[in-house]
Amino acid sequence: QMATSQNMSSSTSSSPPSPPSSTSSSPPPSWFLFLWEWLWFLLKYLYHIYTGKSELERICEQDEIHKLRMTHQFAYSVLKSRKMQRDLIDEDTKYLKSSFKRPQQIYTIVLSYKNINTERHHVVKNMKLCIEDMIHVNKVISDVKMIRETRYDEANEKHEELLDALWMNFAQDGDKKTSPEKRDWTKLGFQRRDEPRTDFRGMGELGLLNLVAFSETSSGKRLLMEAQTMDYSFAITGINLTADLYKYLSSTREGKYRFMNRQIESLPQFNEIYGEIFVRFHQYWKERNPSIMEFNQVKEDFWREMEQINFWRVPRPNA
């Protein structure tokens, strides 16, 4: 059990169609992407001539009431705009500069580049809500990073209570009354029988909070029971997925789309997407039925498939 765990721990719009993603396992040739992008900009220009409106205005006029899919389309357009790159986009993150805290700041910049009818009140309102959603992502990154950098501390009563809650939520009825010093943590998929704390070194408090949140769901309990009959360690897998999800959020533009929702606080939002990822990975593992030695490769293939099915761009129900 310990050896296998160590292996795992090493580890419908009014706008023209978007260019194809180049993140798939067999990306289109560069000339095709260049041609497609050129045609895409030509279509945008023709749409603008035909309607007399910018792409951003067309996006924000789709509905009287703001929808999350509107934010996704708005963000894609803004982030791809060559005109607004210098004023809005951080060169390192390829996303909004973290210095933007208020929607009005970005709204003013957008108006300086785009001819938008500001007398259409629902368009202006929708635009500002889209901008709020985009700003929210930087708050999520900051909040989650702070949690991740909080190391597990045995002297921290909160950490010990969370670890105890993890055991009580996941342990079988016969094990719940086991005294802390006699608990077998490998049953939950940790590396060491008597010491789970060291497994949180990489992801700190964030890895623990993700697992605890997942342990409170029916899906989490079901997956643990199944994992105990399969060739992978549940808790270590969960910590690996925390690391991967954090990387997608903080380091990629695509990974930020699912977090563009100002109505959900940072950690609950991260926990929710983490739970969905865990369920998807578990199902992917079942279908592949690999050995533990293939864990890292299977994990890479899984994330590649998430990109191919456009996971990051799929709005939530009724959004």
Side-chain angles (χ1 to χ4, degrees):
Q1 176 75 36
M2 180 175 175
T4 57
S5 297
Q6 288 173 335
N7 177 268
M8 296 165 68
S9 60
S10 64
S11 50
T12 318
S13 165
S14 60
S15 305
S18 303
S21 170
S22 59
T23 57
S24 64
S25 55
S26 301
S30 57
W31 64 265
F32 177 81
L33 290 174
F34 174 80
L35 178 61
W36 182 276
E37 187 157 326
W38 184 84
L39 289 173
W40 181 65
F41 281 111
L42 177 61
L43 279 173
K44 284 179 61 176
Y45 176 74
L46 293 176
Y47 262 66
H48 176 67
I49 296 299
Y50 177 72
T51 64
K53 303 170 184 175
S54 70
E55 183 180 38
L56 295 182
E57 185 171 354
R58 295 196 305 272
I59 290 171
C60 293
E61 71 177 1
Q62 293 178 61
D63 296 290
E64 290 286 334
I65 300 176
H66 174 266
K67 302 290 180 64
L68 187 57
R69 58 177 168 76
M70 193 182 293
T71 291
H72 286 194
Q73 295 163 5
F74 183 91
Y76 184 84
S77 181
V78 168
L79 296 174
K80 290 288 288 185
S81 173
R82 295 174 180 175
K83 292 182 179 180
M84 293 186 281
Q85 289 283 328
R86 183 186 62 187
D87 293 330
L88 292 178
I89 309 304
D90 185 294
E91 292 184 2
D92 295 328
T93 65
K94 309 301 180 186
Y95 192 68
L96 291 181
K97 296 175 181 178
S98 59
S99 58
F100 290 120
K101 305 297 183 183
R102 297 182 295 107
Q104 189 64 37
Q105 295 173 289
I106 300 175
Y107 176 71
T108 301
I109 293 173
V110 170
L111 289 186
S112 71
Y113 286 102
K114 303 294 183 179
N115 182 22
I116 295 173
N117 184 356
T118 56
E119 294 182 0
R120 304 180 68 199
H121 299 298
H122 85 280
V123 172
V124 172
K125 181 180 179 181
N126 284 339
M127 186 175 298
K128 290 184 176 181
L129 291 176
C130 287
I131 293 171
E132 282 187 36
D133 280 340
M134 292 183 69
I135 292 175
H136 176 71
V137 175
N138 281 332
K139 181 180 184 301
V140 175
I141 294 173
S142 176
D143 292 346
V144 170
K145 179 182 179 181
M146 184 171 62
I147 298 171
R148 173 183 174 270
E149 292 177 349
T150 302
R151 299 176 64 86
Y152 190 100
D153 182 2
E154 284 188 67
N156 188 318
E157 188 175 335
K158 172 189 172 183
H159 290 173
E160 290 293 284
E161 289 176 353
L162 285 169
L163 192 63
D164 186 65
L166 185 65
W167 176 267
M168 297 304 292
N169 290 342
F170 270 148
Q172 299 295 316
D173 290 340
D175 292 329
K176 290 185 184 295
K177 296 181 180 180
T178 304
S179 59
E181 64 275 9
K182 294 183 178 180
R183 290 172 177 173
D184 181 0
W185 289 95
T186 60
K187 290 183 177 181
L188 272 58
F190 287 93
Q191 294 186 70
R192 296 172 58 182
R193 180 185 182 91
D194 59 346
E195 182 52 86
R197 299 166 182 82
T198 55
D199 290 332
F200 295 110
R201 283 175 297 192
M203 286 294 107
E205 188 178 303
L206 181 62
L208 175 58
L209 287 169
N210 285 165
L211 279 174
V212 171
F214 196 49
S215 74
E216 295 170 347
T217 68
S218 57
S219 294
K221 295 177 173 64
R222 174 178 59 81
L223 264 59
L224 173 62
M225 293 183 64
E226 293 183 5
Q228 290 172 339
T229 65
M230 297 161 60
D231 196 14
Y232 82 86
S233 297
F234 187 82
I236 297 299
T237 296
I239 296 171
N240 269 267
L241 294 178
T242 293
D244 290 343
L245 182 55
Y246 175 78
K247 180 180 179 180
Y248 265 91
L249 167 62
S250 60
S251 304
T252 73
R253 181 179 290 178
E254 286 296 305
K256 293 175 172 61
Y257 280 91
R258 274 297 187 98
F259 294 89
M260 292 179 185
N261 191 343
R262 69 197 181 284
Q263 296 179 338
I264 307 179
E265 290 299 318
S266 301
L267 184 59
Q269 194 169 16
F270 195 93
N271 284 337
E272 180 182 342
I273 299 172
Y274 168 86
E276 183 177 350
I277 287 291
F278 209 144
V279 171
R280 285 177 177 267
F281 178 82
H282 183 86
Q283 185 60 36
Y284 188 79
W285 185 275
K286 285 176 63 177
E287 293 171 357
R288 288 276 295 265
N289 193 28
S291 73
I292 191 62
M293 300 305 295
E294 300 173 89
F295 180 81
N296 289 330
Q297 182 59 55
V298 171
K299 190 159 65 74
E300 289 179 15
D301 294 344
F302 166 77
W303 285 112
R304 190 176 297 115
E305 179 170 293
M306 291 300 97
E307 294 170 357
Q308 290 173 345
I309 66 173
N310 224 10
F311 171 79
W312 302 109
R313 298 285 190 87
V314 179
R316 303 179 193 282
N318 302 319

